[in-house]
């Protein structure tokens, strides 16, 4: 979009034409996106491997598979999503009807992230076109092969007058943020999220911010060997198995009682070797770090005083290959950066506690996370975690799987984000629920109007407190007030 302002004006005119509001247009865009994934699956695998070293099975699990599922879900439920919803009215609105009509917001901007360059671009796009909007998607320059492929390839499958993909770095992002949008949807760091929100203030643009956060895993002292092994597998894959820990929903650190640490650590070590090999830098099942800048950032985390001494497993690094071996750290300093900021890499701090209930205070003393993962069969403890912690989501006895659920809202709270999406929640995020009320001229209540007196006050009080049938009887004098 070299002529950005002109192109955006054309998109606004296209939205005003009403074409994108038609159900047939929305369905055609969703089907086009599904065809894009089907036709280009092998090429998508290739560019994801080029950018991030992702194995094609991981790429299917985390991007193509989840997107195909989301598209099928949207196509199956779009008719119902678009329907006006009847609304109940108070008794005083006699002979009236009301409904809530979802309407598209207009021309919206989606700014995606590099760690899931297809998933984080197309997942919100599904909701935006399903809702009938014109959409500009700004991809991340940190995944250049994926970004270029998406920008060049998607145009044959969607309506270019209503959906466009823009490449570029920070300068392009800044230029886009200067424009008036009807919605901005951003996925990325809290630091950039603040920039996006500041820019949105100028035009009072509503924003959805999908940010990160240090997602803790709280691991209770499980008794059965089966439970321990299942929990350890899910911990390992929830930390290292999604883009080498470069995921906002990845486990950031583990909280566990001191007495259970050695059992858990030995199991995690064993599973790392089983899943990624004894020489992980040779394994193809482990993604690599996205670029040198992030590689050096991770290296600096370990070089901070007291941190390297806490490593009890792994942590070797190959700068040429941008590879970082999974590492386990035991009780690194709480004031170290690795415990203050989101790690976004394959380092797993394990923090020992006297009793597992102390995990609640530990989590609550920090910014609200995007997700909390709690491995426990203790129902009372589960209830305490639900009521006494705040996070975007709370998953018991597994990790990351909540991201794939179209029927659950995905989003953060506090510093981990604003707003939500996935499934119907994506449709709602890119819609305005317009309230429609229709009133008959046949009947009116005289006590709605001045001059006022206490009798009118009494009738108004009843109008707001009685149900519809009781109120009518009272007004007709068939029921004592």
């Amino acid at each position: 979009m070299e002529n950005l302002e002109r192109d955006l004006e054309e998109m606004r005119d296209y939205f005003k034409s009403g074409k994108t509001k038609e159900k047939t247009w929305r369905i055609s865009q969703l089907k086009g996106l599904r065809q894009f994934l089907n036709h280009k699956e092998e090429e998508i695998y290739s560019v994801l491997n080029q950018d991030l070293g992702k194995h094609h099975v991981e790429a299917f699990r985390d991007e193509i598979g989840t997107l195909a599922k989301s598209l099928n879900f949207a196509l199956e439920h779009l008719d119902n999503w678009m329907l006006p919803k009847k609304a109940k009215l108070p008794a005083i609105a006699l002979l009236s009807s009301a409904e809530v009509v979802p309407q598209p917001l207009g021309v919206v901007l989606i700014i995606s992230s590099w760690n899931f360059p297809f998933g984080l671009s197309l997942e919100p796009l599904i909701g935006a076109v399903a809702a009938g909007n014109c959409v500009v998607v700004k991809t991340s320059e940190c995944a250049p092969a994926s970004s270029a492929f998406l920008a060049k390839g998607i145009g044959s499958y969607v309506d270019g007058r209503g959906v466009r993909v823009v490449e570029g770095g920070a300068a392009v992002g800044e230029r886009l943020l200067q424009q008036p949008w009807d919605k901005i949807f951003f996925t990325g760091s809290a630091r950039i999220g603040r920039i996006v929100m500041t820019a949105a203030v100028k035009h009072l643009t509503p924003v959805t911010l999908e940010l990160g956060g240090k997602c803790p895993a709280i691991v209770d002292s499980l008794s059965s060997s089966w439970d321990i092994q299942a929990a350890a597998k899910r911990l390992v894959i929830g930390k290292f198995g999604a883009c080498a820990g470069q995921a906002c929903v990845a486990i950031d650190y583990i909280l566990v009682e001191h007495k259970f640490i050695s059992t858990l650590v030995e199991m995690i070590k064993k599973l790392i070797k089983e899943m990624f090999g004894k020489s992980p830098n040779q394994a193809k099942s482990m993604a690599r770090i996205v670029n040198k800048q992030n590689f050096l950032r991770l290296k600096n985390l370990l070089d901070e005083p007291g941190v390297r001494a806490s490593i009890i497993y792994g942590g070797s690094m190959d700068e040429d290959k941008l590879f970082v071996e999974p590492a386990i750290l035991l009780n690194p300093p709480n004031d170290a950066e690795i415990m203050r900021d989101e790690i976004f890499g394959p380092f797993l701090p394990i923090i020992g506690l006297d009793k597992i209930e102390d995990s609640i205070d530990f989590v609550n003393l920090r910014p609200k996370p995007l997700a909390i993962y709690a491995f426990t069969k203790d129902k009372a403890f589960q209830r305490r975690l639900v009521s006494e912690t705040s996070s975007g989501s709370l998953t018991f006895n597994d990790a990351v799987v909540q991201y794939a659920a179209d029927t659950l809202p995905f989003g953060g709270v506090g510093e981990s984000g604003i707003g939500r999406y996935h499934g119907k929640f994506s449709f709602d995020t890119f819609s305005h629920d317009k309230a429609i009320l229709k009133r008959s001229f046949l009947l009116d209540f005289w006590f709605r109007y001045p001059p006022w007196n206490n009798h009118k006050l009494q009738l108004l009080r009843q109008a707001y407190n009685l149900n519809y049938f009781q109120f009518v009887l009272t007004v007709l004098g068939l029921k004592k007030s």
Side-chain angles (χ1 to χ4, degrees), residues 199-273:
V201 168
K202 178 181 178 181
H203 300 289
L204 294 179
T205 303
V207 298
T208 293
L209 302 179
E210 293 296 336
L211 309 178
K214 297 183 72 64
C215 300
I218 299 167
V219 183
D220 205 349
S221 298
L222 302 168
S223 55
S224 93
S225 59
W226 175 267
D227 292 342
I228 294 170
Q229 184 170 9
K233 281 184 177 179
R234 296 168 189 180
L235 288 165
V236 169
I237 203 68
K239 175 59 182 182
F240 308 110
C243 201
Q246 299 170 110
C248 59
V249 291
I251 293 169
D252 199 274
Y253 62 94
I254 291 175
L255 298 172
V256 61
E257 291 182 351
H258 293 294
K259 64 184 181 183
F260 193 57
I261 287 177
S262 60
T263 301
L264 185 63
V265 167
E266 290 308 310
M267 183 62 74
I268 290 175
K269 287 180 182 179
K270 177 184 175 184
L271 290 169
I272 288 174
K273 293 173 183 176

Side-chain angles (χ1 to χ4, degrees), residues 214 252-253 296-317 324 327-341 343 346-351:
K214 297 183 72 64
D252 199 274
Y253 62 94
L296 294 175
R297 179 187 62 81
L298 289 169
K299 182 176 181 295
N300 289 336
L301 290 181
L302 295 188
D303 288 340
E304 194 171 356
V307 174
R308 190 168 292 278
S310 69
I311 298 174
I312 58 174
Y313 177 86
S316 65
M317 310 180 81
V324 175
I328 303 172
L329 299 84
L330 184 58
N331 292 317
N334 273 338
D335 59 352
E337 187 176 351
I338 200 168
M339 288 305 299
R340 296 197 314 270
D341 297 333
I343 294 172
F347 301 154
L348 179 59
I350 296 178
I351 308 299

Side-chain angles (χ1 to χ4, degrees), residues 457-471:
L457 174 62
Q458 184 181 20
L459 289 170
L460 285 169
R461 194 184 304 279
Q462 293 168 346
Y464 290 129
N465 286 283
L466 297 177
N467 64 39
Y468 181 86
F469 182 68
Q470 291 173 326
F471 178 65

Side-chain angles (χ1 to χ4, degrees), residues 18 85 94 98 101 153 172 232 253-254 297 384 393 426 432 475 477:
K85 303 298 189 293
L94 186 67
V101 178
V172 173
Y253 62 94
I254 291 175
R297 179 187 62 81
R384 285 195 62 191
S393 64
S426 293
H432 167 65
V475 172

Side-chain angles (χ1 to χ4, degrees), residues 181-424:
W181 301 94
D182 295 296
K183 176 84 177 187
I184 297 175
F185 187 105
F186 169 79
T187 302
S189 69
R191 181 180 66 85
I192 303 300
R194 288 182 171 87
I195 295 173
V196 171
M197 198 167 186
T198 300
V201 168
K202 178 181 178 181
H203 300 289
L204 294 179
T205 303
V207 298
T208 293
L209 302 179
E210 293 296 336
L211 309 178
K214 297 183 72 64
C215 300
I218 299 167
V219 183
D220 205 349
S221 298
L222 302 168
S223 55
S224 93
S225 59
W226 175 267
D227 292 342
I228 294 170
Q229 184 170 9
K233 281 184 177 179
R234 296 168 189 180
L235 288 165
V236 169
I237 203 68
K239 175 59 182 182
F240 308 110
C243 201
Q246 299 170 110
C248 59
V249 291
I251 293 169
D252 199 274
Y253 62 94
I254 291 175
L255 298 172
V256 61
E257 291 182 351
H258 293 294
K259 64 184 181 183
F260 193 57
I261 287 177
S262 60
T263 301
L264 185 63
V265 167
E266 290 308 310
M267 183 62 74
I268 290 175
K269 287 180 182 179
K270 177 184 175 184
L271 290 169
I272 288 174
K273 293 173 183 176
E274 289 180 4
M275 293 183 189
F276 305 110
K278 294 181 179 179
S279 300
N281 62 335
Q282 303 297 322
K284 296 182 179 179
S285 295
M286 185 86 173
R288 69 165 190 270
I289 305 307
V290 64
N291 53 33
K292 187 173 181 179
Q293 178 183 351
N294 279 277
F295 178 92
L296 294 175
R297 179 187 62 81
L298 289 169
K299 182 176 181 295
N300 289 336
L301 290 181
L302 295 188
D303 288 340
E304 194 171 356
V307 174
R308 190 168 292 278
S310 69
I311 298 174
I312 58 174
Y313 177 86
S316 65
M317 310 180 81
D318 186 331
E319 186 171 342
D320 292 334
K321 294 182 179 180
L322 294 177
F323 177 81
V324 175
E325 181 188 11
I328 303 172
L329 299 84
L330 184 58
N331 292 317
N334 273 338
D335 59 352
E337 187 176 351
I338 200 168
M339 288 305 299
R340 296 197 314 270
D341 297 333
E342 187 178 15
I343 294 172
F344 230 65
F347 301 154
L348 179 59
I350 296 178
I351 308 299
L353 304 172
D354 292 330
K355 58 182 187 298
I356 200 62
E357 290 79 8
D358 294 341
S359 61
I360 294 176
D361 287 338
F362 192 98
V363 171
N364 287 342
L365 286 172
R366 288 155 178 79
K368 297 176 182 180
L370 182 59
I372 295 175
Y373 306 113
F375 293 78
T376 179
K377 297 170 75 173
D378 185 331
K379 301 298 184 183
F381 185 45
Q382 289 181 0
R383 289 192 294 270
R384 285 195 62 191
L385 287 168
V386 170
S387 65
E388 297 179 31
T389 66
S390 179
S391 57
S393 64
L394 172 57
T395 297
F396 290 108
N397 302 324
D398 209 338
V400 184
V401 293
Q402 79 281 3
Y403 180 85
D406 294 300
T407 52
L408 290 176
F410 181 84
V413 60
E415 289 201 17
S416 59
I418 299 171
R420 57 187 185 169
Y421 73 128
H422 286 196
K424 173 66 159 51

